[in-house]
Amino acid sequence: MSIARTINVELGDRSYPIIIGSGLLGGEFDLSTHIVGEDCLVVSNETIAPLYFGKLKDNLGDKTIESLNLPDGEAYKTTDTMHTILDKLVEIGANRDTTVVALGGGVVGDIVGFAAACYMRGVNFIQVPTTLLAQVDSSVGGKTGVNHAKGKNLVGAFYQPSVVVIDTDTLATLPDRELKAGLAEVIKYGAICDIDFFAWLEKNIAVLVNRDSEALASAIIRSCEVKAEVVAEDERESGRRAILNFGHTFAHAIEHCMGYGKWLHGEAVAAGMVMAAKLSAIDPGEVDRLCALIELAGLPVAPPKIAADQFLAAMSVDKKVMHKQLRFVLLKSLGDAFVTSSYNDDVLHKLLSASG
Ligand SMILES: NC(=O)c1ccc[n+]([C@@H]2O[C@H](COP(=O)([O-])OP(=O)(O)OC[C@H]3O[C@@H](n4cnc5c(N)ncnc54)[C@H](O)[C@@H]3O)[C@@H](O)[C@H]2O)c1
Ligand SMILES: [Zn+2]
């Protein structure tokens, strides 16, 4: 076991550590100290549990462990699935002292976190993310929730975990397509607020795609540092945190219009970031730089074919919409994002029409 780094998310009495390392699961790492009571429910899915549930059990000492496996896929990120978790908690007689552990990618983490937030108005919750996307983004920051038939992540709560445990070895079993999707969120951090990290990614993208473990660990650490810092500053997204949604207004519309699961979240974010960069008043050379990096990561730089009116309608249910006005995260320059409701409507329409 080797812990490469512990990063704290500073949120007063709800602060928590993100522990990043290799060989944590199934090793000497003691997670039982983070289980407040005597029992826990580990929620995973049918793909991940056979790979990692047995190892995770070894980290939980003599705690009483119940488990539940959800069906796999974004299509199951629904209130129905959340109910199966609530039903299980009732069935095992869980109380306020029960800890709920999410073992999996962003889908598992988001649903399980929401169930933990709701059960008895909130029980202790631990994130053990197993995809690159979940390790660099969704497991940190406390956004939990499920999709609604009308839009992505429309139902949810801010609910922070008490610890995030990132075992970088879990990436070894992650399919290539999922690894690349995670790289989209990594690139996002460089694009929105860290041009040096962006430049580092440009140099290291080939080794990252080839799963070099040191490079991946560095990318995860820097991504978690940025996310922790932004969340600490604005936990409930009343201001700066919204920059983390760079590309996401377009991305959520792409995911919604294509049907959840067809385009991976990270793939939609990649195309969405290019669209957002094109809507920004920046040097075209910087748009090209972003496109080049996204392409080298093996990710799409253009959206799929969606009729412009359908695209726009899907964007209008975005949570950033205020007073019926769309708001976008745009770039002042590469490495410097801001949120605005003033953008060039003609450019937006051209971007949407080009897709349909
Ligand atoms: N809460 C947030 O702040 C936040 C941020 C970004 C994304 N998200 C959400 O995260 C979700 C996407 O998460 P994701 O990309 O992790 O997808 P995912 O959870 O669907 O996982 C991707 C696939 O990989 C499998 N898998 C997971 N870990 C594995 C491993 N180690 N080895 C082999 N297979 C493995 C999963 O079973 C699944 O089939 C979206 O719903 C998105 O909205 C939330
Ligand atoms: Zn995202």
Side-chain angles (χ1 to χ4, degrees):
M1 168 182 99
S2 80
I3 293 179
R5 189 73 63 89
T6 299
I7 296 162
N8 280 312
V9 184
E10 303 290 353
L11 289 168
D13 57 3
R14 284 172 297 103
S15 297
Y16 55 94
I18 308 167
I19 299 162
I20 304 167
S22 128
L24 299 183
L25 295 185
E28 285 149 34
F29 174 68
D30 184 6
L31 187 57
S32 69
T33 55
H34 294 271
I35 306 286
V36 286
E38 282 315 306
D39 62 322
C40 62
L41 173 66
V42 177
V43 186
S44 188
N45 77 18
E46 55 207 6
T47 309
I48 301 150
L51 296 167
Y52 300 111
F53 175 60
K55 290 188 171 195
L56 178 62
K57 269 205 302 203
D58 292 344
N59 300 101
L60 292 167
D62 55 5
K63 299 288 177 185
T64 304
I65 306 164
E66 298 278 354
S67 66
L68 173 68
N69 289 331
L70 308 175
D72 188 357
E74 180 80 31
Y76 296 99
K77 192 175 155 183
T78 59
T79 45
D80 277 357
T81 305
M82 182 194 161
H83 273 284
T84 63
I85 303 171
L86 298 176
D87 289 347
K88 181 75 181 183
L89 285 164
V90 174
E91 182 196 312
I92 64 173
N95 56 34
R96 282 240 163 104
D97 282 343
T98 302
T99 295
V100 180
V101 184
L103 172 66
V107 169
V108 168
D110 279 14
I111 316 176
V112 175
F114 189 35
C118 294
Y119 188 70
M120 294 195 172
R121 299 198 182 86
V123 291
N124 186 38
F125 162 52
I126 291 175
Q127 287 268 24
V128 185
T130 61
T131 63
L132 180 60
L133 186 135
Q135 295 179 350
V136 299
D137 193 353
S138 63
S139 66
V140 175
K143 277 194 185 179
T144 71
V146 295
N147 300 328
H148 183 274
K150 294 276 182 208
K152 174 104 177 137
N153 296 337
L154 280 189
V155 184
F158 284 100
Y159 194 66
Q160 301 293 344
S162 58
V163 60
V164 180
V165 180
I166 299 177
D167 184 340
T168 52
D169 294 352
T170 58
L171 299 180
T173 54
L174 194 66
D176 272 340
R177 189 176 166 201
E178 298 290 349
L179 187 93
K180 288 173 184 167
L183 287 173
E185 304 278 11
V186 175
I187 292 169
K188 177 187 79 180
Y189 294 116
I192 60 173
C193 66
D194 188 345
I195 190 64
D196 292 342
F197 183 47
F198 191 92
W200 181 88
L201 289 170
E202 289 179 313
K203 280 203 195 86
N204 288 280
I205 193 66
V207 287
L208 287 164
V209 170
N210 286 323
R211 296 167 180 265
D212 178 88
S213 49
E214 245 174 66
L216 280 171
S218 300
I220 294 166
I221 289 168
R222 184 62 196 137
S223 299
C224 286
E225 281 172 351
V226 173
K227 179 122 192 207
E229 186 198 308
V230 174
V231 168
E233 209 177 297
D234 175 25
E235 182 186 10
R236 293 194 158 233
E237 202 168 304
S238 44
R240 183 167 152 81
R241 182 168 178 169
I243 64 167
L244 297 173
N245 294 322
F246 179 54
H248 281 59
T249 303
F250 296 106
H252 288 164
I254 293 169
E255 289 181 85
H256 178 72
C257 292
M258 297 307 286
Y260 295 123
K262 292 252 173 51
W263 269 53
L264 299 182
H265 176 72
E267 293 168 346
V269 168
M273 289 194 292
V274 174
M275 294 177 87
K278 287 181 175 168
L279 189 57
S280 305
I282 57 171
D283 183 319
E286 294 201 314
V287 179
D288 293 346
R289 235 177 119 181
L290 179 64
C291 277
L293 181 57
I294 288 174
E295 252 179 339
L296 287 171
L299 288 161
V301 291
K305 288 206 177 305
I306 298 170
D309 53 347
Q310 201 196 340
F311 211 136
L312 195 60
M315 291 202 305
S316 306
V317 295
D318 186 76
K319 291 189 290 306
K320 282 186 297 306
V321 169
M322 262 188 185
H323 313 299
K324 306 236 157 144
Q325 173 78 44
L326 278 174
R327 293 193 310 148
F328 288 98
V329 182
L330 300 182
L331 298 176
K332 277 183 214 156
S333 63
L334 199 55
D336 189 3
F338 69 111
V339 186
T340 181
S341 53
S342 96
Y343 50 86
N344 186 324
D345 227 15
D346 291 342
V347 176
L348 177 64
H349 279 98
K350 271 191 203 125
L351 283 169
L352 298 181
S353 309
S355 92

